[in-house]
């Protein structure tokens, strides 16, 4: 199956993006430290998040194609919570975090945005992303409504603008393993949404 690259906008649209051809990647290994340097250069030179994501997505694909070791870098999900995070890179005062996240089917994430740009690549398993958009009413400023969904399979890459709202649900019987790259979180702008009470709480 063809891999897909997606961009999720703040109004819950999931837009198809250009997928670079793997044959065009240089054949030499693409090391994590070079990837981090390339992403940092992009952040220095490109101010707009959607332009940054357009530049970063192909690097994530190149890293995953080049780095077999990444496929096995994860922690088995905690049976209690249903998920686990292995931090691959998180340096104080450096605006990037790189994680491998594992989820057990049967669990479901809260509805949230990230308060920063993010790129998630599916390494194994199958994952449904549900998208939401804000739909405020006079007494309900934090009301949201569903805006569609997308099922991701291994090789798919999805990227998010800081205010894009989603929830994630592993499908099938295998854990979902994802490579997650995020910028610097703006904690005033990162919310968990409650669709019963129409509230948004910072987290
Ligand atoms: Fe998320």
């Amino acid at each position: 199956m063809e891999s897909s690259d997606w961009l999720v906008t703040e109004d819950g649209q999931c837009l198809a993006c250009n997928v670079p051809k793997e044959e065009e990647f240089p054949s030499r290994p693409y090391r994590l430290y070079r990837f981090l340097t390339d992403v940092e250069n992009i952040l220095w030179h490109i101010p707009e998040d959607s332009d940054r994501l357009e530049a970063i997505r192909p690097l994530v694909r190149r890293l995953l194609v080049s780095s077999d070791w990444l496929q096995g870098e994860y922690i088995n999900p905690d049976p209690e919570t249903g998920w686990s995070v292995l931090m691959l890179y998180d340096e104080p005062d450096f605006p990037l975090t790189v994680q491998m996240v594992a989820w057990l089917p049967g669990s479901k994430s809260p509805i949230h945005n990230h308060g920063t740009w993010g790129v998630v690549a599916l390494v194994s398993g199958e994952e449904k992303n549900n998208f939401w958009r804000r739909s405020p009413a006079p007494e309900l400023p934090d009301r949201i409504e569903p805006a569609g969904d997308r099922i991701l399979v291994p090789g798919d890459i999805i990227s998010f603008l800081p205010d894009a709202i989603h929830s994630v649900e592993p499908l099938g019987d295998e854990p979902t393993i994802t490579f997650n790259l995020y910028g610097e979180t703006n904690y005033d702008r990162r919310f968990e949404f409650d669709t019963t009470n129409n509230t948004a709480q910072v987290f």
Side-chain angles (χ1 to χ4, degrees):
M1 204 190 329
E2 292 274 300
S3 296
S4 302
D5 282 8
W6 303 101
L7 172 68
V8 185
T9 62
E10 50 283 277
D11 56 357
Q13 292 185 73
C14 182
L15 307 172
C17 304
N18 235 359
V19 181
K21 292 201 170 41
E22 291 182 14
E23 312 83 83
E24 286 166 20
F25 293 144
S27 58
R28 74 180 83 89
Y30 188 40
R31 305 288 179 198
L32 182 59
Y33 76 95
R34 279 194 202 275
F35 167 80
L36 292 169
T37 306
D38 289 344
V39 175
E40 189 179 29
N41 281 334
I42 288 168
L43 300 180
W44 281 342
H45 295 114
I46 304 181
E48 276 299 317
D49 284 329
S50 55
D51 298 335
R52 287 171 162 182
L53 288 170
E54 191 180 335
I56 293 169
R57 281 187 306 265
L59 303 185
V60 170
R61 186 168 291 288
R62 185 177 160 204
L63 180 73
L64 288 163
V65 167
S66 172
S67 305
D68 281 342
W69 64 273
L70 269 177
Q71 322 284 320
E73 285 296 304
Y74 64 93
I75 301 172
N76 281 321
D78 179 331
E80 295 269 292
T81 62
W83 55 279
S84 71
V85 176
L86 173 64
M87 196 64 84
L88 289 182
Y89 188 85
D90 184 20
E91 178 177 324
D93 302 320
F94 189 67
L96 286 178
T97 55
V98 186
Q99 309 167 336
M100 297 298 284
V101 178
W103 278 91
L104 285 176
S107 48
K108 204 171 185 174
S109 82
I111 304 170
H112 61 281
N113 72 312
H114 286 271
T116 182
W117 58 267
V119 182
V120 173
L122 203 70
V123 171
S124 65
E126 201 175 305
E127 174 182 287
K128 185 172 173 196
N129 260 263
N130 298 294
F131 310 116
W132 307 79
R133 67 176 150 248
R134 284 185 171 273
S135 161
E139 289 84 50
L140 304 170
D142 291 319
R143 189 173 69 175
I144 57 170
E145 63 184 15
D149 57 62
R150 175 75 51 192
I151 292 174
L152 303 180
V153 297
D156 287 347
I157 292 177
I158 191 164
S159 57
F160 299 92
L161 288 172
D163 296 322
I165 305 169
H166 76 149
S167 55
V168 172
E169 191 180 343
L171 301 177
D173 345 288
E174 281 177 66
T176 300
I177 315 292
T178 56
F179 170 93
N180 296 28
L181 170 73
Y182 299 107
E184 199 163 25
T185 305
N186 177 344
Y187 292 96
D188 299 333
R189 219 174 134 185
R190 188 181 73 167
F191 303 100
E192 234 173 69
F193 295 85
D194 174 340
T195 51
T196 310
N197 299 307
N198 296 298
T199 55
Q201 298 283 340
V202 291
F203 75 104

